[in-house]
């Protein structure tokens, strides 16, 4: 029996990806689309300014958009809400008993909310009972996925952290335009240019991986003791954030062992064969000039992270590139995989 | 009395910049254009595939291109030769008595050849007598300027090294397409993409600044004891290499002092009022999102390096951005300024 | 004695070009900058989101922005106002006695307002006394310049119309992003794309050239009897509208005569040596692949129109390319030249 | 029983598309890959510089590349050869008994070679027996598909020609970079630019549609009596040629009838349900700003032509946009559909 899902912020950039990715999902059926008042009561196909290259899925075209208020006929909600409004709306849904699987930043660093990547810290969902009790949420709860750049970085760090230990990370990003939503970056700001500032992005990258790679004892998170320095830039690419990473490891090793550690990494989502879990969470390219955004962003249907150019670093220990599809593994796809994990763990289901 | 100059490789990308920049130079008059056999004996305007936005200077249009062999009627030569052929040709000219002011990489790391940025190490020209003697060059000699990315990085490091000492540098670049010459990067390789590999570029960036910031005692160079790690990428920008830099300093300081150190830096070329010396070698932008290639690459007529976003680094000490116009300060303009310094120092002149 | 000018809409995209182009003008001195209430009472340098590659001119940086209301201390106003508000504001200024030299579309097709290109129809200013009388404007009046694409097309048509007569024109444009102002076109709409629709643009191109090439008897305009069909597209170019034109002529001729007619065309602004008049209104390029936006848009400091690829058309008579710098000759520069003509004709001066 | 096919020029841009598109084809199995001597005897995966976003199909990776000479073990050959060499090689294969399904321009206008679009002129294959006899080809023959821009234009003209008659066509193109092959257009030639010249392209567009829309009586082609004028430009788009078309029709009609004529057009490939035939050969978009290359090029898996912005033309009768995926329907996909038609017509099969 399918699980009924609603999408909050369904007309926005992330919301459109939810609508697209959930088309034909084996476990989830979209039964509610919700957006701001401007769109409410209109058929989705008439109110959305659809910005994806595939057509609007047939199922969504004539669904009537509802306001973002509890009462939606569904078993859980995905939130692609703008962070300006996401905070209280998500809380209201959780209070009303809905599991809220959010892509927004508002609750990511809350002390009782899991920041979740199923391949990295699936055990962090153990805090959900504590969250429910502390907030009086009943059946509802909030789970978040990280910022798009943090997902890519952390998925690459995880196998290294497990095997060698990580002490230090320096990362410089070249991020895609779709990360800024729509209309987002003005063409005049990026044509023949790099835009070397993304508000609050470096702070997120220096903070979120620590929670993700840290421990959860059921009532508290302990961040991992890693120093991270991030520099973030916007470049003239549609999709796919590319990250130049340097790491210092606790144990000594060599490039070949680093590559093999990436290549053979699998985790709970692969073991559980979750529908959105890529066969290889981390794909390693051996060519001297890969990964590249246009060629590699769709690896694993956009759910794999692609690593390449692994080499020694004269300052820290190793350097490599990481590529992540920012609107799939870095946003809507991340949330769908989170929901799949939560279902497998028994936190969500039909009601 | 003007100094007569020749340009080797005059039809190439760097050669064209020489032809453009030397138009109306107060000290130098172009009296010879030399290129490969394919172009020899033809009027420059008919054989060059001119790729700059300004028109071919009137003086050059009807000059007949000569072969790249000694015998050119000039007092010194600028070399914009392709590195595949530059090595022996430059040596032949030096042997024949010409000062060779080269942009090519071939002799940069030679133990008796100055790698020169007039604001950074003007005293390194003191090795010229030793070079002449050792190679039996008579009046001729070879002086080189660094790789385009090294120029920008080293000009930014110099004032910090002088005042605070530098121990460690990590740099990630986003480099312009003009750096690859013409035809250079295929449009299909860079449209909606980043190309994360530039052959030999990281090695140059990790090596050249050490020579530039090192010492010269008249017969030998001692590199500076700094660890540098570089990651180099090509992005969809026409001109202007942007570099994300982190540094560890020997002395403790703060962001304001770093900014002031950049801002007030001047050096010998400014003191000597060399024609191509920018009033401010390092321009500091205070906006949170500058420098940007399209807006800042022409600062100081493309001869200033532009710095911005100075902030603390959680891994090393400080992070900042550096922008350099890769074909002016990073190539032809660098060589012209080198020649100006050499004239001021008495190494070149009419003969 | 300099003529004092004000700029309405000084913080917008066209207004910024006025501020830039009027820096150092031999006849005009900017004495007033006016913009919307949001900017009023602030120093220009602090309120403008400056989007040009050159720095804000020193004269403008600390000028305090005033509201767009009569009372500005100047002898005429340039209007770069958004068409949503330009209509009544321009009328109010004319009513208050100011000559209004407008780039906005609102009054272009008014039956008593000149739509003016000094090289094309300088005699149309003869309707100004009629306009003043009809509208009770006293010393004030309104003069407009055409839409950016119409300027380029009409300047190329003018010499052909004079010499051979024109009956039919088909034109397809590839227009630059700066034509949409700032923020204008979203980067996601134009990356790896063409945007094949520009609101109201085709209508302007089919209508404005007829008024420009028509006659004015002092009280009435008679449009030229030409059929024009336009198709307008936005492409991934910063500045410079490129137009593919086909024309049918009344008289028979050949490609060489067409080229010579373009090449030797000059008009009243050249004769009067107006400061912004380019030496050659129409520049002809002989290469098989020119004009190109990046290489040719700055011809004549952006005030020349560049024509190329003149060849026979199997459907009409001749085909050729036209390039116009859309924000200089196509907007702010057009208005400045209009003001210069009006001064030369005695319609404006100090008061 | 599958038909065995070979690919000539398998390592080139068009050849790679053949390799990709034929992966899993229900009728055709690739049994031979042939390329220039440089690649011969090497595994395809090691010699090809693969430039498509999907990975090299598994079937092709280890196939050993053979020289482009008769003797290949297959029942027909697809030719993606460069036109510099295609002419005699294709003739040699036909002479040796191979049906040659070519994308190259060399034989397109031969008086006994069909220039074929299955939806437009499937009856033109009737000239094959005449070709065989005249050239002494035995079982072999040559069939060609048109130039990429001609395919799109002609597929849009066909339904109008059938229903209303066409007398005149004016077309301006904005063509994608992939049409120039790899490395093709230099990034410096197209960044912030339009390249307004494509060698021989306008001539092809003015000539090929006439043969396609003309008649074939079994021994001779009679071109359609239509005047066509083409202007061709390269723009900053990866895939998808956009064409601005104006047509004059023999019969009077209105926009709605034109749209319906496009929309309801189907032809023999749809009737025969050929594997590569799109359900709708011509897709009509009703939005005011479509088709756009990035959003519409993949319609019908890249085999549909997309039309939009149908409106009256003040010079001819109607204007509209046409978009064609230049490397699928405009090249490799066109040839595959041609082969499917020839199989359905009995001209090719196992041997």
């Amino acid at each position: 029996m399918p699980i009924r899902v609603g999408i909050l912020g369904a007309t926005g950039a992330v919301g459109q990806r939810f609508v697209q990715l959930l088309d034909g999902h084996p476990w989830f059926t979209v039964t509610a689309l919700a957006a701001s008042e401007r769109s409410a009561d209109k058929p989705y196909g008439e109110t959305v300014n659809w910005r994806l290259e595939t057509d609007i899925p047939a199922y969504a075209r004539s669904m009537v958009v509802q306001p973002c208020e509890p009462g939606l006929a569904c078993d859980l909600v995905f939130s692609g809400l703008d962070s300006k409004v996401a905070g209280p709306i998500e809380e209201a849904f959780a209070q009303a008993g809905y599991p809220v699987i959010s892509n927004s930043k508002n609750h990511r660093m809350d002390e009782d909310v899991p920041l979740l990547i199923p391949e990295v810290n699936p055990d962090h969902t153990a805090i959900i009972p504590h969250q429910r009790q502390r907030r009086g949420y009943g059946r509802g709860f909030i789970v978040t996925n990280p910022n798009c750049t943090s997902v890519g970085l952390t998925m690459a760090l995880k196998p290294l952290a497990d095997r060698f230990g990580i002490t230090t990370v320096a990362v410089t990003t070249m991020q895609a335009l779709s990360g800024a939503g729509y209309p987002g970056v003005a063409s005049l700001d990026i044509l023949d240019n790099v835009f070397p500032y993304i508000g609050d992005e470096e702070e997120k990258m220096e903070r979120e991986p620590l929670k993700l790679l840290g421990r959860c004892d059921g009532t508290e998170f302990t961040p991992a003791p890693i120093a991270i320095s991030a520099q973030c830039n916007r470049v003239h690419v549609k999709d796919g954030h590319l990250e130049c990473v340097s790491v210092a490891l606790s144990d000594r090793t060599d490039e070949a062992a680093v590559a093999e550690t990436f290549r053979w990494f699998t985790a709970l989502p692969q073991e559980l064969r979750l529908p959105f879990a890529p066969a290889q969470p981390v794909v390693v390219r051996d060519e001297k000039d890969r990964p590249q955004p246009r060629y590699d962003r769709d690896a694993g249907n956009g759910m794999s992270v692609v690593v390449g150019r692994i080499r020694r670093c004269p300052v820290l220990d190793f350097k490599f590139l990481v590529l992540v599809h920012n609107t799939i593994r870095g946003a809507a796809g991340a949330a769908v995989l989170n929901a799949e994990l939560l279902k497998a763990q028994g936190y969500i289901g039909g009601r």
Side-chain angles (χ1 to χ4, degrees), chain A:
Chain A
M1 193 167 135
I3 296 172
R4 301 168 305 153
V5 306
I7 300 172
L8 308 183
T11 55
V14 176
Q16 293 182 25
R17 271 286 184 202
F18 278 123
V19 168
Q20 181 198 54
L21 293 177
L22 290 167
D23 187 20
H25 191 282
W27 297 354
F28 302 135
T29 299
V30 179
T31 54
L33 299 175
S36 65
E37 297 216 348
R38 214 193 38 223
S39 295
D41 297 329
K42 296 179 189 152
Y44 185 72
E46 291 175 24
T47 187
V48 69
N49 181 9
W50 187 257
R51 295 280 87 193
L52 293 170
E53 282 76 11
T54 58
D55 279 337
I56 303 177
Y59 84 81
R61 198 174 287 273
S62 56
M63 282 181 73
V64 173
V65 175
Q66 302 178 61
C68 284
E69 294 159 12
L72 302 180
C74 58
D75 304 313
L76 68 89
V77 291
F78 289 105
S79 166
L81 289 168
D82 190 297
S83 61
K84 290 198 198 80
V85 300
I89 294 178
E90 292 178 2
E91 288 171 24
F93 272 89
Q95 194 71 54
Y98 295 84
V100 176
I101 318 299
S102 171
N103 178 64
S104 296
K105 69 177 180 185
N106 306 60
H107 296 291
R108 280 182 198 154
M109 298 308 292
D110 287 4
E111 60 182 317
D112 56 357
V113 170
L115 180 64
L116 185 66
I117 300 177
E119 282 90 347
V120 171
N121 59 341
D123 57 308
H124 284 207
T125 55
I127 208 161
I128 291 174
H130 175 68
Q131 182 196 127
R132 281 170 165 163
Q133 181 185 10
R134 186 163 172 272
R135 302 192 180 206
Y137 275 173
R139 296 174 52 105
F141 61 85
I142 299 175
V143 164
T144 62
N145 58 266
N147 182 44
C148 43
T149 48
S150 298
V151 175
L153 177 63
T154 309
M155 284 183 66
L157 295 181
K158 173 65 174 173
L160 302 184
D162 283 357
R163 179 150 171 210
F164 307 111
I166 292 180
T167 63
T168 314
V169 177
V171 56
T172 298
T173 68
M174 292 167 282
Q175 301 184 214
L177 297 164
S178 60
Y182 183 85
V185 180
S187 54
L188 289 175
D189 282 341
I190 201 68
L191 180 147
D192 186 13
N193 208 14
V194 170
F195 200 88
Y197 174 76
I198 305 176
D200 202 30
E201 193 86 353
E202 298 177 351
E203 292 76 3
K204 291 178 196 164
M205 284 200 85
E206 296 179 353
R207 195 174 52 209
E208 294 182 359
L210 308 187
K211 184 171 180 181
L212 287 156
L213 295 169
R215 285 179 300 103
C216 172
D217 67 2
T219 58
E220 207 174 22
F221 298 107
T222 309
I226 301 175
I228 303 181
S229 176
Q231 305 196 55
C232 295
N233 304 280
R234 192 76 71 190
V235 295
H236 194 268
V237 165
K238 181 168 174 286
D239 292 311
H241 290 351
L242 189 61
E243 312 183 9
C244 295
V245 183
S246 293
V247 293
L249 305 180
S250 305
D251 300 341
R252 304 187 75 168
T253 183
D254 60 23
E255 293 100 318
V258 169
E260 291 314 293
T261 302
F262 284 133
R263 205 184 295 273
W264 297 112
F265 174 68
T266 61
L268 187 57
Q270 284 71 37
E271 193 181 313
L272 297 172
R273 297 179 179 274
L274 299 180
F276 265 50
Q280 277 188 275
V282 182
V283 170
V284 179
R285 301 289 315 202
D286 294 320
E287 300 91 331
K288 67 181 179 187
D289 57 8
R290 298 286 281 267
Q292 293 178 22
R294 206 179 77 230
Y295 288 103
D296 295 302
R297 60 194 173 202
D298 289 327
N301 292 320
M303 290 298 287
S304 293
V305 160
V306 186
V307 163
R309 297 201 73 214
I310 301 162
R311 58 212 192 283
R312 290 208 173 267
C313 174
V315 167
L316 302 180
D317 291 325
F318 294 96
K319 299 190 271 199
F320 50 86
L321 293 169
V322 175
L323 179 74
V324 59
H325 193 303
N326 56 299
T327 67
I328 300 180
R329 174 55 94 155
V336 173
L337 189 61
N338 279 356
E340 292 173 356
L341 176 69
L342 290 161
K343 151 123 174 74
Q345 291 177 330
Y347 288 103
I348 59 177
R351 55 178 188 170

